[in-house]
Amino acid sequence: MRINGVDGPNAWWRCTENFESPLVLFIDSDQENCIFGQRGLYLRRIEEHTNTFIQLEQWFTASGQTRVTVVGPPQVKQWLEDMFRGISSENLYLHLLGLSMLWHVQERPLTSADLEDYFRMQS
């Protein structure tokens, strides 16, 4: 799996499996600001560092949730889903893990080695 390719014949968006079963979840506005910053300040950086496309849509719900749709490599989508769920978790360990994952993708690109280490730790 190639997740760091920005362009060329092996770029992530040229692989049709990356567009199957997009990750769709709903987050509260507080979580949206925590993850993506005010007005999506960190959105582009997170997309670049994970080689994904992330779409944010405001939904008219009682709690003012945002629909998050992620398209990209399956392992990266799972990693991001775990990050989102960790950040929203009331379990302190999972919450801190989610924040650590968020910091990682805000600061540097996610690599195949990062994914291997994470999924090995989850087993």
Side-chain angles (χ1 to χ4, degrees):
M1 173 183 68
R2 180 183 171 119
I3 65 166
N4 292 327
V6 175
D7 202 1
N10 294 326
W12 73 267
W13 59 83
R14 294 180 188 252
C15 184
T16 58
E17 78 176 20
N18 293 334
F19 292 89
E20 297 171 2
S21 304
L23 168 63
V24 178
L25 48 88
F26 292 85
I27 59 175
D28 294 328
S29 58
D30 297 352
Q31 293 170 319
E32 179 186 357
N33 288 334
C34 172
I35 296 168
F36 300 109
Q38 293 286 353
R39 296 188 196 110
L41 178 65
Y42 303 119
L43 175 62
R44 178 78 174 127
R45 184 181 310 159
I46 293 171
E47 286 178 321
E48 288 174 350
H49 287 178
T50 59
N51 286 305
T52 59
F53 173 73
I54 302 172
Q55 181 178 3
L56 305 176
E57 298 175 89
Q58 300 296 320
W59 278 64
F60 296 102
T61 63
S63 61
Q65 292 183 316
T66 298
R67 177 180 162 168
V68 180
T69 305
V70 181
V71 175
Q75 281 190 314
V76 177
K77 288 188 299 189
Q78 182 61 56
W79 193 92
L80 286 170
E81 181 177 16
D82 291 352
M83 181 192 80
F84 290 127
R85 295 198 192 288
I87 289 170
S88 66
S89 177
E90 293 182 16
N91 177 303
L92 182 59
Y93 171 77
L94 294 177
H95 181 73
L96 292 175
L97 178 61
L99 290 174
S100 172
M101 295 165 81
L102 173 62
W103 177 83
H104 181 100
V105 295
Q106 286 178 337
E107 296 299 317
R108 64 184 186 273
L110 188 61
T111 65
S112 294
D114 294 328
L115 291 171
E116 289 171 15
D117 290 344
Y118 175 74
F119 289 112
R120 185 175 26 256
M121 183 179 76
Q122 298 304 310
S123 297

